[in-house]
Amino acid sequence: MTTEKTERTYIMLKPDALKRGLIGEIIARIEKKGYKIKKIKTLELDEAILKEHYAHIAARPFFPSLLQYMTSGPVVAMIVEGPDAVLGMRILMGATKFEEALPGTIRGDYAFCTTENLIHGSDSPENAEIEIARFFGE
């Protein structure tokens, strides 16, 4: 008997993932892991939604460069579902700091700096629902 619970999580492929042509590779990894992409869309983010999304780091000195990066091109927003999807996707993504991301993870294999680290994933089931509501209106 498994104790895994089906969850939804919010995943966002950042502008560098699109610019570098890695969307297909990243989505393939998500699907090969066994997760289902329930909804997907491309978005152009503005400063207002980014200030809301990154409110927890808005006072940090690097925030202006993060805003510039996140508005530099489109992103791909997804609702990903599966057993323990929040934790599983965070493991699949790898550490936020690219130099700490292990080989075999998305960031470990493809990221080359911490600012442009290809992918965002919710850090808890509660935040997943908040982020899904923010970007998908659910």
Side-chain angles (χ1 to χ4, degrees), residues 5-11 35 80-93 121-129 132:
K5 58 192 172 304
T6 297
E7 291 177 333
R8 299 188 320 163
T9 191
Y10 176 71
I11 299 297
Y35 295 116
V80 174
E81 187 177 273
D84 294 312
V86 173
L87 177 60
M89 279 302 306
R90 292 192 66 77
I91 292 168
L92 185 63
M93 290 186 308
S122 303
D123 63 2
S124 70
E126 297 77 22
N127 282 338
E129 293 307 320
I132 288 168

Side-chain angles (χ1 to χ4, degrees), residues 4 8 10 12 34 52 65 69 85 94 99:
E4 299 167 338
R8 299 188 320 163
Y10 176 71
M12 177 170 47
E52 181 183 337
S65 63
Y69 157 60
E99 66 273 15

Side-chain angles (χ1 to χ4, degrees), residues 22-46:
L22 293 171
I23 299 168
E25 174 66 28
I26 293 170
I27 288 174
R29 285 181 176 219
I30 292 168
E31 292 179 327
K32 285 177 185 174
K33 188 72 176 177
Y35 295 116
K36 302 290 182 214
I37 297 171
K38 300 306 272 184
K39 290 194 176 183
I40 186 169
K41 64 182 177 179
T42 304
L43 299 170
E44 296 275 347
L45 302 179
D46 62 24

Side-chain angles (χ1 to χ4, degrees), residues 54-108:
Y54 290 115
H56 61 290
I57 57 170
R60 297 266 182 92
F62 62 83
F63 189 68
S65 63
L66 177 64
L67 279 179
Q68 182 178 8
Y69 157 60
M70 291 299 294
T71 57
S72 70
V75 301
V76 173
M78 295 181 276
I79 300 172
V80 174
E81 187 177 273
D84 294 312
V86 173
L87 177 60
M89 279 302 306
R90 292 192 66 77
I91 292 168
L92 185 63
M93 290 186 308
T96 300
K97 293 181 178 180
F98 85 100
E99 66 273 15
E100 296 173 6
L102 297 175
T105 66
I106 293 165
R107 291 177 178 142

